[in-house]
Amino acid sequence: MDIRFESREVLKDKPQGALGFGKYYTDYMFIADYDKDQGGWHDARIVPFGPIEMDPASMVLHYAQETFEGLKAYRTKDGKIQLFRPEKNAQRFANSNARLSMPAVPEDLFIGAIEELVKVEKDWVPAKEGESLYIRPYMFASEAAVGVHPAVSYKFMIILSPVGAYYPEGMAPVKIWVEDEYVRAAPGGTGFTKCGGNYAGSLKAQEKAEEHGYTQVLWLDGVHRKYVEEVGSMNVMFLIDGEIWTAPTEGTVLPGVTRDSILQIVRSLGYPVHEEHLAVDDLMAAARDGRLQEAFGTGTAAVISPIGELCYKGEKAVINNFETGKLTQQLYDTLTGIQWGDVEDPYGWTRTVCEA
Ligand code: COI
């Protein structure tokens, strides 16, 4: 699909100093419209970043038909701008849209639009270590109607934000609250999708965790409140007795791109991997007995985040003396080395967008 370009007269000043996460936006954004009665996707355009007009009856505002993705563009030392496994995001976006009764964004439109926008905004891809350009594709129901039904019109948009570390702690270990009251997902629900509603429903527990001095929530399964699933903004892995444990992606857990990449890396390093249900009682017992060696989260935004403490029903488990574990550090170095082009990519995960 052709993408129309509308330029702006004055470009923004680039931020100086620490970027944080999701605080700054680039000069342009991508928009395409979908209308069932106009043959689907049309009017793809890159336009100046700014407010959009919406009908007050837009269905997303009432029934939350909204999905999104997250990936990053990296500036390599040898002068390239590259993406990391964008086809995985395209596939997951399609799966999310199917579950929310939303039309698919074809992979060539999804990746093509990202590449075009990143090319236009390549000067916004940061050069400092640990910084990248976060890419946020999203789609929502724009049909003006108040009856409940799958909408017939949508907008697919992409915005870009130069970012540093997701957590204020940076690469230092985070404290995680194991939530035993609220649940995130149940079998048959939308847990495996990236839809805004999953995150809206998680905020109450997130506030509760913060009130207790914890950074994020570790969710338990929605049926028994017994098995560990994922953390608010990342999948979670545990090194117990030299073996990796992480929840299976059977419908209630987000199939993370970083999760999948790390599982391939740890397998290649020879670690046995259990994509199995792990009871929180067994996890806390492993911590008590000194068998829980390391814990870390994996995510596009969070990258690899060491977990230094878990709190479950008032019991606190400090992991690896609240220090980043050896394996956690090795995985961080390997993954970010591939993403920033500093180490060889034996998996073919990176995709060059343009010369920097
Ligand atoms: C990501 O890791 O890209 C996410 O979307 C997580 C979070 C910022 C919602």
Side-chain angles (χ1 to χ4, degrees):
M1 188 182 302
D2 287 343
I3 301 176
R4 175 167 62 80
F5 180 69
E6 186 188 312
S7 69
R8 57 188 296 157
E9 278 172 22
V10 183
L11 297 181
K12 299 179 189 176
D13 290 331
K14 309 264 187 310
Q16 306 294 323
L19 292 173
F21 189 88
K23 292 199 295 198
Y24 304 101
Y25 299 96
T26 66
D27 290 302
Y28 293 95
M29 60 187 184
F30 172 90
I31 311 180
D33 296 308
Y34 177 96
D35 288 283
K36 203 173 172 186
D37 62 4
Q38 286 182 45
W41 290 108
H42 61 93
D43 200 13
R45 59 221 187 255
I46 291 175
V47 296
F49 184 99
I52 53 168
E53 199 167 89
M54 284 177 74
D55 194 295
S58 292
M59 289 183 69
V60 65
L61 301 177
H62 305 273
Y63 307 122
Q65 256 190 310
E66 190 271 355
T67 53
F68 69 97
E69 272 302 322
L71 65 162
K72 286 174 173 171
Y74 307 86
R75 181 182 292 273
T76 67
K77 290 201 186 80
D78 64 353
K80 292 196 183 76
I81 304 295
Q82 62 184 25
L83 302 176
F84 184 76
R85 309 186 76 187
E87 62 292 341
K88 295 287 285 182
N89 297 91
Q91 284 157 13
R92 188 172 62 189
F93 199 44
N95 294 341
S96 297
N97 287 346
R99 176 62 182 82
L100 277 277
S101 295
M102 295 162 68
V105 174
E107 185 170 318
D108 58 347
L109 172 59
F110 182 87
I111 296 181
I114 289 172
E115 290 193 330
E116 274 314 299
L117 186 61
V118 169
K119 268 187 220 164
V120 168
E121 299 288 54
K122 66 180 183 176
D123 291 346
W124 281 89
V125 183
K128 271 200 215 135
E129 196 176 327
E131 294 182 350
S132 54
L133 187 65
Y134 187 74
I135 304 167
R136 172 49 63 86
Y138 57 108
M139 182 169 149
F140 56 88
S142 53
E143 180 189 346
V146 178
V148 181
H149 61 265
V152 295
S153 37
Y154 296 86
K155 276 193 191 310
F156 167 47
M157 297 185 56
I158 306 171
I159 55 173
L160 306 175
S161 173
V163 296
Y166 184 71
Y167 296 117
E169 291 90 335
M171 183 47 194
V174 289
K175 291 168 67 178
I176 301 288
W177 174 264
V178 185
E179 176 56 42
D180 63 354
E181 179 189 2
Y182 302 111
V183 297
R184 173 185 174 276
T190 57
F192 67 95
T193 72
K194 261 185 117 55
C195 69
N198 285 348
Y199 293 80
S202 76
L203 298 176
K204 194 75 191 158
Q206 170 74 26
E207 277 183 339
K208 187 173 150 190
E210 284 169 12
E211 277 162 23
H212 288 88
Y214 289 78
T215 305
Q216 285 264 321
V217 169
L218 172 56
W219 296 105
L220 299 178
D221 76 280
V223 176
H224 309 95
R225 289 187 181 68
K226 178 173 174 186
Y227 301 105
V228 293
E229 295 215 317
E230 68 183 74
V231 168
S233 56
M234 53 194 191
N235 294 110
V236 65
M237 298 190 187
F238 303 97
L239 179 67
I240 303 174
D241 285 333
E243 305 190 355
I244 295 286
W245 288 78
T246 195
T249 50
E250 290 171 341
T252 54
V253 167
L254 190 78
V257 179
T258 314
R259 173 189 181 280
D260 179 78
S261 310
I262 290 298
L263 289 182
Q264 290 194 49
I265 294 171
V266 291
R267 284 192 170 107
S268 78
L269 293 172
Y271 287 88
V273 171
H274 303 269
E275 288 186 71
E276 290 169 37
H277 300 284
L278 171 64
V280 62
D281 287 336
D282 294 339
L283 178 66
M284 295 304 281
R288 245 176 266 132
D289 303 347
R291 288 179 294 112
L292 174 58
Q293 299 159 282
E294 297 185 29
F296 54 91
T298 64
T300 298
V303 194
I304 305 290
S305 288
I307 296 173
E309 183 182 317
L310 296 171
C311 179
Y312 175 56
K313 290 191 190 290
E315 180 184 352
K316 293 179 182 172
V318 174
I319 303 163
N320 196 40
N321 296 320
F322 212 86
E323 284 166 16
T324 301
K326 218 170 127 205
L327 176 64
T328 307
Q329 187 66 53
Q330 183 184 1
L331 295 174
Y332 178 87
D333 293 342
T334 308
L335 181 76
T336 59
I338 293 173
Q339 291 172 331
W340 269 275
D342 294 332
V343 304
E344 196 206 335
D345 170 14
Y347 304 96
W349 284 337
T350 51
R351 178 173 172 134
T352 303
V353 176
C354 57
E355 298 300 317

